[in-house]
Amino acid sequence: MNKHENVILVSAPNLRGEQFVRALLHRHIPFTAIVNNEQEYERLLGLGVETIIAVDTSDEGVWSAAPDIGIGRVYLFERSLNQICRYLLICRKWSNNPIYVITEQVRPKLMYRGLGANYVIYASGQDSNFLITDEMTGQEPTGEDDTK
């Protein structure tokens, strides 16, 4: 990957995020994962994720150091309010592209938006296929549901 590519960035600390990662892998959609601990790093490696950015979210001094790839859309699956807030601050410094927060919690939407989220999506269940667009797959829209 080079600096000029816009690669999808995903934080997948929960089952819904893992399902999204599996769908991206299955469809061969290029992406990078972001993690803040070794357990998440190892778990994502086990899923087959090849590119992972490890960030120390407790050290605000390192947040502005952008990775060597261009960050496109960002998908942050919520595990905790604190983690999402830090990831929003970090990712907004790295990219001007849309940031999506996917949550099951009723959190203040305006707070997430104020920290840089373009979209806050409230979803229940584990199915995240609705987040994958034809643009991501490089296909023309067919109007058919190909997630089955």
Side-chain angles (χ1 to χ4, degrees):
M1 289 183 242
N2 66 47
K3 182 73 175 176
H4 302 291
E5 290 184 67
N6 278 331
V7 176
I8 296 167
L9 181 66
V10 179
S11 165
N14 55 30
L15 290 176
R16 181 189 316 279
E18 282 185 20
Q19 193 272 339
F20 184 66
V21 163
R22 284 188 180 101
L24 292 173
L25 289 167
H26 177 74
R27 295 180 183 204
H28 306 286
I29 298 171
F31 72 98
T32 297
I34 184 171
V35 299
N36 69 348
N37 63 62
E38 190 170 331
Q39 293 80 15
E40 267 186 73
Y41 187 91
E42 294 297 327
R43 186 175 46 80
L44 290 174
L45 278 179
L47 290 175
V49 178
E50 295 178 8
T51 309
I52 302 173
I53 300 169
V55 176
D56 182 355
T57 55
S58 65
D59 183 0
E60 195 172 338
V62 300
W63 294 0
S64 60
D68 291 334
I69 57 173
I71 302 298
R73 291 180 181 178
V74 177
Y75 294 88
L76 303 174
F77 290 84
E78 183 185 49
R79 176 178 39 185
S80 74
L81 177 66
N82 186 38
Q83 181 186 46
I84 286 295
C85 290
R86 289 178 187 212
Y87 277 159
L88 281 168
L89 292 169
I90 293 167
C91 293
R92 185 45 69 207
K93 289 181 180 185
W94 293 354
S95 177
N96 290 323
N97 290 299
I99 297 177
Y100 301 79
V101 173
I102 300 88
T103 180
E104 291 183 15
Q105 305 298 316
V106 179
R107 302 274 193 214
K109 179 179 177 180
L110 291 177
M111 179 180 61
Y112 287 154
R113 302 261 338 233
L115 292 172
N118 298 90
Y119 305 98
V120 178
I121 300 169
Y122 298 98
S124 60
Q126 301 307 319
D127 187 10
S128 299
N129 285 330
F130 69 93
L131 296 169
I132 297 177
T133 64
D134 290 328
E135 177 184 298
M136 294 164 75
T137 62
Q139 298 174 355
E140 293 296 318
T142 62
E144 298 176 14
D145 182 4
D146 65 348
T147 59
K148 297 179 180 163

